[in-house]
Amino acid sequence: MNAAPTECPESTPESVRPTEEELARRRVAITALGHELRALVDTTVRTLAPPEALLHVADGVRRLTGQLTGRRRARAEIPAVDEFPGGVRMYSPVTGAGSPLAPPMRVTPDGGGVVGRCALGIAHEGPPGYGHGGMSAMLLDELMGWACAAAGRPAMTVSLQVRYHRPVPLETPLRVHARVTGTEDRKIFVDGSISTEDDPSVTVVTADGVFVAPDPARTRALFPDARRTP
């Protein structure tokens, strides 16, 4: 395949695949920008700076935003830096290294399931000092989807029941676990839990969900730009 031009990759259609070296360079740059944006978000929600300073910074951020020129991807367009389905998602709000919203969670295999590790920050706060309940649900939903993919059954969420046993502390290393517990035709049943790394035996949030593996025709209709391997 032809490689995307290195001097302006964002102006090239995503259907033209860049080389592995170009992908690696772009992922490094996206990760670096994501890191700094998360630091900016964290500082923004903590600062007690006076209004004049906030307005001055807002002007600076506006100027920086204007520097991100070139073509912008469409709503359903899959970034060239992603591996979809079943791989790297650079802008995922849960695992994406390039997302200013993500913790970001690191996912690894764990016996019969997968485990995710992250720490929620002040930007994810619900009750003072603790994570927003919706963040817990999002972490579990994401990782339970990873568990389906790890079991060879990529699937989408149909239902998710979350139970909150204790508040989730902010700025504390968390351990999120998920595993497939059964299947029925295209349905996949998954369990998930959140605990702290310091005390993994005590679960603070648990969930069970039902996921469905879409048939090939439905997958093509939902994700027409998904790359397919021969």
Side-chain angles (χ1 to χ4, degrees):
M1 284 188 182
N2 293 331
T6 56
E7 65 273 16
C8 190
E10 65 269 25
S11 65
T12 303
E14 292 290 303
S15 58
V16 179
R17 291 288 290 159
T19 66
E20 290 302 316
E21 181 181 356
E22 288 166 343
L23 279 176
R25 289 179 58 237
R26 191 161 182 83
R27 284 172 179 159
V28 167
I30 289 169
T31 298
L33 179 57
H35 175 79
E36 297 305 329
L37 288 174
R38 286 190 292 276
L40 175 61
V41 169
D42 182 75
T43 302
T44 298
V45 298
R46 290 175 182 268
T47 185
L48 299 177
E52 295 77 15
L54 298 179
L55 292 171
H56 177 73
V57 171
D59 287 339
V61 172
R62 189 179 302 112
R63 288 192 295 272
L64 288 174
T65 300
Q67 294 180 33
L68 297 176
T69 59
R71 191 181 71 86
R72 298 188 181 189
R73 64 183 173 98
R75 177 180 62 84
E77 184 178 341
I78 299 170
V81 290
D82 280 7
E83 296 171 357
F84 180 83
V88 174
R89 302 294 305 280
M90 291 299 296
Y91 300 109
S92 161
V94 178
T95 61
S99 170
L101 308 175
M105 183 166 66
R106 302 176 305 281
V107 182
T108 55
D110 182 67
V114 289
V115 63
R117 291 181 167 85
C118 66
L120 298 180
I122 301 298
H124 306 124
E125 188 173 57
Y130 297 96
H132 192 289
M135 287 302 304
S136 297
M138 188 162 67
L139 294 178
L140 286 163
D141 183 46
E142 175 81 6
L143 196 66
M144 291 162 79
W146 277 73
C148 292
R153 301 285 299 275
M156 301 176 68
T157 316
V158 172
S159 68
L160 184 68
Q161 183 172 350
V162 182
R163 292 168 294 279
Y164 301 91
H165 306 284
R166 301 184 182 188
V168 177
L170 297 178
E171 300 184 316
T172 301
L174 301 176
R175 184 181 188 276
V176 189
H177 186 266
R179 66 185 181 93
V180 171
T181 59
T183 60
E184 180 183 309
D185 297 325
R186 291 190 294 113
K187 290 183 179 179
I188 302 110
F189 303 95
V190 191
D191 281 351
S193 64
I194 301 176
S195 59
T196 64
E197 286 279 23
D198 287 343
D199 195 359
S201 65
V202 177
T203 56
V204 294
V205 184
T206 57
D208 57 78
V210 180
F211 290 67
V212 167
D215 60 48
R218 182 62 173 159
T219 300
R220 287 192 295 271
L222 287 170
F223 311 111
D225 292 337
R227 301 178 189 101
R228 301 173 184 84
T229 54

